[in-house]
CSV table of all heavy atoms in Angstrom, one decimal:
chain,number,residue,atom,x,y,z
K,18,SER,N,9.0,108.5,102.4
K,18,SER,CA,8.2,107.4,103.0
K,18,SER,C,6.8,107.5,102.5
K,18,SER,O,6.2,106.4,102.2
K,18,SER,CB,8.3,107.5,104.5
K,18,SER,OG,9.6,107.3,105.0
K,19,VAL,N,6.3,108.7,102.4
K,19,VAL,CA,4.9,108.8,101.9
K,19,VAL,C,4.8,108.4,100.5
K,19,VAL,O,3.9,107.7,100.1
K,19,VAL,CB,4.4,110.3,102.1
K,19,VAL,CG1,3.1,110.5,101.4
K,19,VAL,CG2,4.3,110.6,103.6
K,20,LEU,N,5.8,108.8,99.7
K,20,LEU,CA,5.8,108.4,98.3
K,20,LEU,C,5.8,106.9,98.1
K,20,LEU,O,5.2,106.3,97.2
K,20,LEU,CB,7.0,109.0,97.5
K,20,LEU,CG,6.8,110.5,97.1
K,20,LEU,CD1,8.1,111.0,96.5
K,20,LEU,CD2,5.6,110.7,96.2
K,21,TRP,N,6.6,106.2,98.9
K,21,TRP,CA,6.7,104.7,98.9
K,21,TRP,C,5.3,104.1,99.1
K,21,TRP,O,5.0,103.1,98.5
K,21,TRP,CB,7.7,104.2,99.9
K,21,TRP,CG,9.1,104.2,99.4
K,21,TRP,CD1,10.1,104.9,99.8
K,21,TRP,CD2,9.7,103.4,98.3
K,21,TRP,NE1,11.3,104.7,99.1
K,21,TRP,CE2,11.0,103.7,98.2
K,21,TRP,CE3,9.1,102.4,97.5
K,21,TRP,CZ2,11.9,103.1,97.3
K,21,TRP,CZ3,10.0,101.8,96.5
K,21,TRP,CH2,11.3,102.2,96.4
K,22,GLU,N,4.5,104.7,99.9
K,22,GLU,CA,3.2,104.2,100.2
K,22,GLU,C,2.2,104.5,99.0
K,22,GLU,O,1.2,103.8,98.8
K,22,GLU,CB,2.6,104.8,101.5
K,22,GLU,CG,3.4,104.3,102.7
K,22,GLU,CD,2.9,105.0,104.0
K,22,GLU,OE1,1.9,105.7,103.9
K,22,GLU,OE2,3.6,104.9,105.0
K,23,LEU,N,2.4,105.6,98.3
K,23,LEU,CA,1.4,106.1,97.3
K,23,LEU,C,1.7,105.6,95.9
K,23,LEU,O,0.8,105.7,95.1
K,23,LEU,CB,1.4,107.6,97.4
K,23,LEU,CG,0.9,108.2,98.7
K,23,LEU,CD1,0.9,109.7,98.6
K,23,LEU,CD2,-0.5,107.8,99.0
K,24,VAL,N,2.9,105.3,95.5
K,24,VAL,CA,3.2,105.1,94.1
K,24,VAL,C,2.6,103.8,93.6
K,24,VAL,O,2.5,102.8,94.4
K,24,VAL,CB,4.8,105.0,93.9
K,24,VAL,CG1,5.4,106.3,94.1
K,24,VAL,CG2,5.4,103.9,94.6
K,25,PRO,N,2.1,103.8,92.4
K,25,PRO,CA,1.6,102.5,91.8
K,25,PRO,C,2.7,101.5,91.5
K,25,PRO,O,3.9,101.9,91.4
K,25,PRO,CB,0.9,103.0,90.5
K,25,PRO,CG,1.6,104.3,90.2
K,25,PRO,CD,2.0,104.9,91.5
K,26,ASP,N,2.3,100.3,91.4
K,26,ASP,CA,3.3,99.2,91.0
K,26,ASP,C,3.9,99.5,89.6
K,26,ASP,O,3.2,100.1,88.8
K,26,ASP,CB,2.6,97.9,91.0
K,26,ASP,CG,2.2,97.4,92.4
K,26,ASP,OD1,2.8,97.9,93.4
K,26,ASP,OD2,1.3,96.6,92.5
K,27,GLY,N,5.1,99.2,89.5
K,27,GLY,CA,5.8,99.4,88.2
K,27,GLY,C,6.8,100.5,88.1
K,27,GLY,O,7.6,100.6,87.2
K,28,ILE,N,6.7,101.5,89.1
K,28,ILE,CA,7.7,102.5,89.1
K,28,ILE,C,8.6,102.4,90.3
K,28,ILE,O,9.2,103.4,90.7
K,28,ILE,CB,7.1,103.9,88.9
K,28,ILE,CG1,6.2,104.3,90.1
K,28,ILE,CG2,6.3,104.1,87.6
K,28,ILE,CD1,5.8,105.7,90.1
K,29,ASP,N,8.6,101.3,91.0
K,29,ASP,CA,9.4,101.1,92.1
K,29,ASP,C,10.9,101.3,91.8
K,29,ASP,O,11.6,101.9,92.7
K,29,ASP,CB,9.3,99.7,92.7
K,29,ASP,CG,7.9,99.5,93.3
K,29,ASP,OD1,7.2,100.4,93.5
K,29,ASP,OD2,7.5,98.3,93.5
K,30,SER,N,11.4,100.9,90.7
K,30,SER,CA,12.8,101.1,90.3
K,30,SER,C,13.2,102.5,90.2
K,30,SER,O,14.3,102.9,90.6
K,30,SER,CB,13.1,100.3,89.0
K,30,SER,OG,12.3,100.8,88.0
K,31,ILE,N,12.3,103.4,89.7
K,31,ILE,CA,12.6,104.8,89.6
K,31,ILE,C,12.7,105.4,91.0
K,31,ILE,O,13.6,106.2,91.3
K,31,ILE,CB,11.5,105.5,88.7
K,31,ILE,CG1,11.6,105.0,87.3
K,31,ILE,CG2,11.7,107.0,88.8
K,31,ILE,CD1,10.5,105.5,86.4
K,32,LEU,N,11.7,105.1,91.8
K,32,LEU,CA,11.7,105.6,93.2
K,32,LEU,C,12.9,105.1,94.0
K,32,LEU,O,13.5,105.9,94.7
K,32,LEU,CB,10.4,105.2,93.8
K,32,LEU,CG,9.9,106.0,95.0
K,32,LEU,CD1,9.8,107.5,94.7
K,32,LEU,CD2,8.6,105.5,95.6
K,33,ASP,N,13.2,103.9,93.8
K,33,ASP,CA,14.4,103.3,94.5
K,33,ASP,C,15.7,104.0,94.0
K,33,ASP,O,16.5,104.4,94.9
K,33,ASP,CB,14.5,101.8,94.2
K,33,ASP,CG,15.6,101.1,95.0
K,33,ASP,OD1,15.7,101.5,96.2
K,33,ASP,OD2,16.3,100.2,94.5
K,34,TYR,N,15.8,104.3,92.7
K,34,TYR,CA,17.0,105.0,92.2
K,34,TYR,C,17.1,106.4,92.8
K,34,TYR,O,18.1,106.9,93.3
K,34,TYR,CB,16.9,105.1,90.7
K,34,TYR,CG,18.0,106.0,90.1
K,34,TYR,CD1,19.3,105.5,89.9
K,34,TYR,CD2,17.7,107.3,89.8
K,34,TYR,CE1,20.3,106.3,89.4
K,34,TYR,CE2,18.7,108.1,89.3
K,34,TYR,CZ,20.0,107.7,89.1
K,34,TYR,OH,21.0,108.5,88.6
K,35,PHE,N,15.9,107.1,92.8
K,35,PHE,CA,15.9,108.5,93.4
K,35,PHE,C,16.2,108.5,94.9
K,35,PHE,O,16.9,109.4,95.3
K,35,PHE,CB,14.5,109.1,93.1
K,35,PHE,CG,14.5,110.6,93.3
K,35,PHE,CD1,14.9,111.4,92.3
K,35,PHE,CD2,14.0,111.1,94.5
K,35,PHE,CE1,14.9,112.8,92.5
K,35,PHE,CE2,14.0,112.5,94.7
K,35,PHE,CZ,14.4,113.3,93.7
K,36,ASP,N,15.6,107.6,95.6
K,36,ASP,CA,15.9,107.5,97.0
K,36,ASP,C,17.3,107.2,97.3
K,36,ASP,O,17.9,107.8,98.2
K,36,ASP,CB,15.0,106.4,97.6
K,36,ASP,CG,15.0,106.3,99.1
K,36,ASP,OD1,15.3,107.4,99.7
K,36,ASP,OD2,14.6,105.3,99.7
K,37,ALA,N,18.0,106.3,96.6
K,37,ALA,CA,19.3,105.9,96.9
K,37,ALA,C,20.3,107.0,96.5
K,37,ALA,O,21.3,107.2,97.1
K,37,ALA,CB,19.7,104.7,96.1
K,38,ASN,N,20.0,107.8,95.4
K,38,ASN,CA,21.0,108.8,94.9
K,38,ASN,C,20.7,110.2,95.4
K,38,ASN,O,21.6,111.0,95.4
K,38,ASN,CB,21.0,108.8,93.4
K,38,ASN,CG,21.7,107.6,92.9
K,38,ASN,OD1,22.9,107.5,93.0
K,38,ASN,ND2,20.9,106.7,92.2
K,39,TYR,N,19.5,110.5,95.9
K,39,TYR,CA,19.2,111.9,96.2
K,39,TYR,C,18.6,112.1,97.6
K,39,TYR,O,18.7,113.2,98.1
K,39,TYR,CB,18.2,112.5,95.2
K,39,TYR,CG,18.7,112.6,93.8
K,39,TYR,CD1,18.4,111.6,92.9
K,39,TYR,CD2,19.6,113.6,93.5
K,39,TYR,CE1,18.9,111.7,91.6
K,39,TYR,CE2,20.1,113.7,92.2
K,39,TYR,CZ,19.8,112.8,91.3
K,39,TYR,OH,20.3,112.8,90.0
K,40,VAL,N,18.1,111.1,98.3
K,40,VAL,CA,17.4,111.3,99.6
K,40,VAL,C,18.1,110.6,100.7
K,40,VAL,O,18.7,111.2,101.6
K,40,VAL,CB,15.9,111.0,99.5
K,40,VAL,CG1,15.2,111.2,100.8
K,40,VAL,CG2,15.2,111.8,98.4
K,41,ASN,N,17.9,109.3,100.8
K,41,ASN,CA,18.4,108.5,101.9
K,41,ASN,C,19.7,107.8,101.7
K,41,ASN,O,20.3,107.4,102.7
K,41,ASN,CB,17.3,107.5,102.3
K,41,ASN,CG,16.1,108.1,102.9
K,41,ASN,OD1,16.2,109.0,103.7
K,41,ASN,ND2,14.9,107.7,102.4
K,42,GLY,N,20.1,107.5,100.5
K,42,GLY,CA,21.3,106.8,100.3
K,42,GLY,C,21.0,105.3,100.1
K,42,GLY,O,19.9,104.9,100.2
K,43,ALA,N,22.0,104.5,99.7
K,43,ALA,CA,21.9,103.1,99.4
K,43,ALA,C,22.3,102.3,100.5
K,43,ALA,O,23.1,102.7,101.4
K,43,ALA,CB,22.6,102.8,98.1
K,44,PHE,N,21.9,101.0,100.5
K,44,PHE,CA,22.4,100.0,101.5
K,44,PHE,C,23.6,99.3,100.9
K,44,PHE,O,23.7,99.1,99.7
K,44,PHE,CB,21.3,99.0,101.8
K,44,PHE,CG,20.3,99.5,102.7
K,44,PHE,CD1,19.0,99.8,102.2
K,44,PHE,CD2,20.5,99.7,104.0
K,44,PHE,CE1,18.0,100.3,103.0
K,44,PHE,CE2,19.5,100.1,104.9
K,44,PHE,CZ,18.3,100.4,104.3
K,45,ARG,N,24.6,99.0,101.8
K,45,ARG,CA,25.7,98.1,101.4
K,45,ARG,C,25.9,97.1,102.5
K,45,ARG,O,25.6,97.4,103.7
K,45,ARG,CB,26.9,98.9,101.1
K,45,ARG,CG,27.6,99.5,102.2
K,45,ARG,CD,28.9,100.2,101.8
K,45,ARG,NE,29.6,100.6,103.0
K,45,ARG,CZ,30.8,100.2,103.4
K,45,ARG,NH1,31.4,99.3,102.6
K,45,ARG,NH2,31.3,100.6,104.5
K,46,SER,N,26.4,96.0,102.2
K,46,SER,CA,26.6,94.9,103.2
K,46,SER,C,28.0,95.1,103.7
K,46,SER,O,29.0,95.3,103.0
K,46,SER,CB,26.4,93.5,102.6
K,46,SER,OG,27.2,93.4,101.5
K,47,VAL,N,28.1,94.8,105.0
K,47,VAL,CA,29.4,94.9,105.8
K,47,VAL,C,29.5,93.7,106.7
K,47,VAL,O,28.5,93.4,107.4
K,47,VAL,CB,29.4,96.2,106.6
K,47,VAL,CG1,30.7,96.3,107.4
K,47,VAL,CG2,29.2,97.4,105.7
Side-chain angles (χ1 to χ4, degrees):
S18 296
V19 170
L20 281 178
W21 275 112
E22 295 174 10
L23 297 177
V24 296
D26 293 335
I28 64 167
D29 292 345
S30 59
I31 294 171
L32 201 57
D33 189 37
Y34 172 82
F35 193 84
D36 190 18
N38 286 294
Y39 296 99
V40 181
N41 291 313
F44 284 105
R45 73 178 186 115
S46 57
V47 178

